[in-house]
Amino acid sequence: MRTASRHLIPEQRQEKEQEFERQARANRTKNSNLLQYLGATPTPQPADDSTGRYTVFEDTLETYLHRHWPAWEERRQELVRTGEGIGGKNAATYLETTRTVAVEPPFLLHALLENVRSRAGRC
């Protein structure tokens, strides 16, 4: 029985895969609906983009940062390792990482900030 507790039996694996597919379909539908609500072309799996109305990441912010700003993730891990930050999603650690990372952020993040500033100026 040791193997059964360590590995999924075929029926369990199939159930997990089906649940994963259901969740993926639901997420794609939500993505399309949200983009349409924002006045954009409904897209089930949008690419990284920032406009005056929204910013979207193809996967997650963390995935984007890992791919396009690796120095940010290195700095975040350093803060956690030295006890100056908390692991996982943590606003204070993210802020300190962004404030102290030595490398400039990628263009999309600059665009996001400019779009937020522009929108805030209109309020």
Side-chain angles (χ1 to χ4, degrees):
M1 279 314 244
R2 283 177 55 185
T3 11
S5 64
R6 292 177 134 180
H7 302 285
L8 296 175
I9 60 175
E11 294 83 16
Q12 290 173 319
R13 179 173 291 132
Q14 184 177 9
E15 288 174 18
K16 291 282 186 189
E17 288 172 358
Q18 288 173 345
E19 178 56 32
F20 178 79
E21 284 302 318
R22 277 192 294 275
Q23 187 61 48
R25 278 193 302 277
N27 287 345
R28 289 190 295 268
T29 299
K30 288 176 187 177
N31 287 344
S32 289
N33 291 344
L34 184 56
L35 287 169
Q36 185 173 13
Y37 173 79
L38 294 169
T41 303
T43 306
Q45 195 162 351
D48 301 326
D49 192 18
S50 184
T51 73
R53 295 185 57 101
Y54 65 89
T55 296
V56 64
F57 297 100
E58 183 176 353
D59 190 0
T60 65
L61 171 61
E62 290 77 14
T63 301
Y64 178 85
L65 292 171
H66 183 75
R67 218 178 295 144
H68 299 281
W69 200 13
W72 187 91
E73 179 59 19
E74 291 166 11
R75 177 64 181 144
R76 186 190 70 79
Q77 288 178 9
E78 179 184 345
L79 289 171
V80 171
R81 196 172 41 257
T82 61
E84 298 176 66
I86 297 171
K89 290 188 176 196
N90 179 273
T93 302
Y94 279 29
L95 175 64
E96 185 63 12
T97 301
T98 304
R99 194 181 69 71
T100 59
V101 67
V103 178
E104 283 291 312
F107 174 78
L108 182 68
L109 297 180
H110 280 287
L112 179 154
L113 291 173
E114 287 304 315
N115 289 328
V116 168
R117 286 183 188 122
S118 174
R119 283 200 73 70
R122 288 188 235 153
C123 295

